Amino acid sequence: MNDPAITPAVTAVADDIAEMEIRGAAAIADAAAAAIGEQAQASEADTPEEFRAEIRAAARRLHETRPTAVSLPNALRYVLQGMEGNTVAELRDSIVATVVEFRRELDQAQDNLGQIGANRLRDGDTIMTHCHSTDALSCVRHALNDGKDISAIVKETRPRKQGHITARQLRDWDVPVTLIVDNAARRYLNDADHVLVGADSIAADGSVINKIGTSGLAVNARERGVPIMVAAQTLKLHPGTMTGHTVEIEMRDEREVLADAEREAVGDVRVENPAFDVTPPRYVDAIVTERGQFPPESIVTLMRELFGDQQNGEPWDERS
Ligand code: RI2
């Protein structure tokens, strides 16, 4: 049998995720789910078997792009588990409907967690942010809607400077923003009432896997007595960690760290560029989800409820 046909739309989305043209754990999940929907609609499969094989191949292609944000496999699993029917038309319709439902739930979850997170913020508070997280910003948006004045100290977030996206968004909402380089974070923690970050994955023990630099920020914040709040919808909970697996930390290209001219000037050194790090649960005060807020040590209870204890392979695995 020939390799299953993957549509150009799926390939384009996969490339955009790998290159971080599409980035952020929720955005990646949303784009991947939508791409499976496009695959379903564009499929020219003649048989249900052929159609299923195409969908599985498209999911594998999307899955292999970035390894750390579990929202990606969680989204793909959601959509593929919604695939049902005995004909190509039925299978297609079920996928398209599941993608619509997935997006609705994603938006709803972000909105709900935003309200829960906003309740932790008081009028006049200053937050310190790291990277750009739509879940974290949802908390700020709700606090503003509730009439609270919020100010922000925004970390630049080397090497890709996603802090600029956060700064722009907050300014659009008329939030006073102070942009700082990452190295200045400890100094400015004196002025912060909360550290507010997102997450790419949450492990069963409550560890938070987020943009590189989060763990150092959390340790410093704890030392200064500044509470650390992680905004993460349940799509970020990593079911594999319940069965003892660890979360793979993505290592990205050295060209994100050194431009070509800088590379030459620096000479023959090894450059490492991890995209994420792991913040142990003892440095996190609350994980805010759409299902409520949890001390990190109790997140496993929610994970068991949502995923059960067992994982039996993935719906995109090749079958004989
Ligand atoms: P939302 C980002 O990763 C950041 O680590 C951010 O905290 C996280 O995704 C969650 O983003 P990257 O894609 O889902 O910039 O909250 O490497 O938008």
Side-chain angles (χ1 to χ4, degrees):
M1 187 172 141
N2 293 335
D3 282 345
I6 299 176
T7 66
V10 168
T11 307
V13 169
D15 289 346
D16 282 352
I17 292 174
E19 295 298 319
M20 292 179 67
E21 295 296 324
I22 299 171
R23 56 143 296 280
I28 292 171
D30 189 28
I36 296 292
E38 296 207 29
Q39 174 75 38
Q41 276 173 315
S43 171
E44 293 176 356
D46 293 321
T47 65
E49 293 69 36
E50 208 183 316
F51 182 89
R52 286 177 183 276
E54 279 182 21
I55 295 292
R56 287 200 299 268
R60 286 195 297 275
R61 176 75 182 86
L62 292 157
H63 184 222
E64 71 193 13
T65 51
R66 293 188 77 192
T68 304
V70 75
S71 50
L72 175 59
N74 283 350
L76 293 170
R77 198 179 306 113
Y78 184 108
V79 174
L80 267 65
Q81 284 173 347
M83 176 165 63
E84 53 185 30
N86 298 317
T87 64
V88 169
E90 285 171 2
L91 292 169
R92 175 180 290 128
D93 289 350
S94 69
I95 290 262
V96 170
T98 306
V99 169
V100 170
E101 180 58 15
F102 175 76
R103 175 165 287 171
R104 197 190 62 74
E105 286 187 18
L106 187 87
D107 290 346
Q108 185 72 58
Q110 193 162 78
D111 199 44
N112 290 352
L113 84 80
Q115 189 57 63
I116 294 167
N119 293 338
R120 295 183 69 89
L121 305 177
R122 291 157 307 178
D123 188 27
D125 274 353
T126 298
I127 56 164
M128 181 179 283
T129 66
H130 184 58
C131 201
H132 167 255
S133 157
T134 53
D135 280 352
L137 285 174
S138 179
C139 303
V140 179
R141 187 170 56 80
H142 276 277
L144 298 171
N145 288 347
D146 292 345
K148 297 172 188 171
D149 281 332
I150 304 291
S151 302
I153 300 164
V154 172
K155 289 179 76 231
E156 182 184 39
T157 318
R158 282 275 291 160
R160 301 212 36 140
K161 299 187 182 162
Q162 291 97 324
H164 293 190
I165 307 171
T166 302
R168 244 190 341 265
Q169 176 65 82
L170 290 170
R171 282 307 299 140
D172 282 350
W173 293 339
D174 285 331
V175 171
V177 168
T178 305
L179 183 72
I180 59 170
V181 298
D182 297 306
N183 292 340
R186 190 161 189 273
R187 174 187 170 108
Y188 284 88
L189 274 170
N190 290 336
D191 302 331
D193 300 293
H194 305 266
V195 167
L196 172 57
V197 295
D200 295 80
S201 286
I202 307 267
D205 69 352
S207 296
V208 172
I209 295 87
N210 192 46
K211 182 55 53 194
I212 188 79
T214 304
S215 63
L217 176 62
V219 171
N220 280 327
R222 174 55 53 83
E223 189 249 347
R224 293 279 157 117
V226 181
I228 300 122
M229 163 177 168
V230 175
Q233 51 183 295
T234 55
L235 191 65
K236 318 284 179 63
L237 300 181
H238 200 302
T241 58
M242 281 199 294
T243 47
H245 295 272
T246 50
V247 177
E248 181 184 343
I249 300 295
E250 176 183 12
M251 301 298 287
R252 294 192 60 85
D253 198 285
E254 66 167 44
R255 279 170 296 186
E256 292 185 344
V257 179
L258 288 178
D260 288 345
E262 290 173 322
R263 189 70 181 97
E264 260 187 57
V266 171
D268 183 21
V269 298
R270 193 169 78 191
V271 177
E272 298 239 326
N273 183 20
F276 303 99
D277 65 19
V278 182
T279 302
R282 65 182 177 280
Y283 295 109
V284 175
D285 289 273
I287 298 175
V288 176
T289 79
E290 77 278 14
R291 303 279 294 255
Q293 47 182 315
F294 299 83
E297 292 80 4
S298 68
I299 204 77
V300 66
T301 314
L302 179 61
M303 289 175 78
R304 282 216 187 91
E305 191 187 313
L306 293 172
F307 302 112
D309 264 328
Q310 292 299 320
Q311 249 206 320
N312 298 317
E314 294 292 4
W316 51 83
D317 290 342
E318 281 201 77
R319 295 171 205 164
S320 50

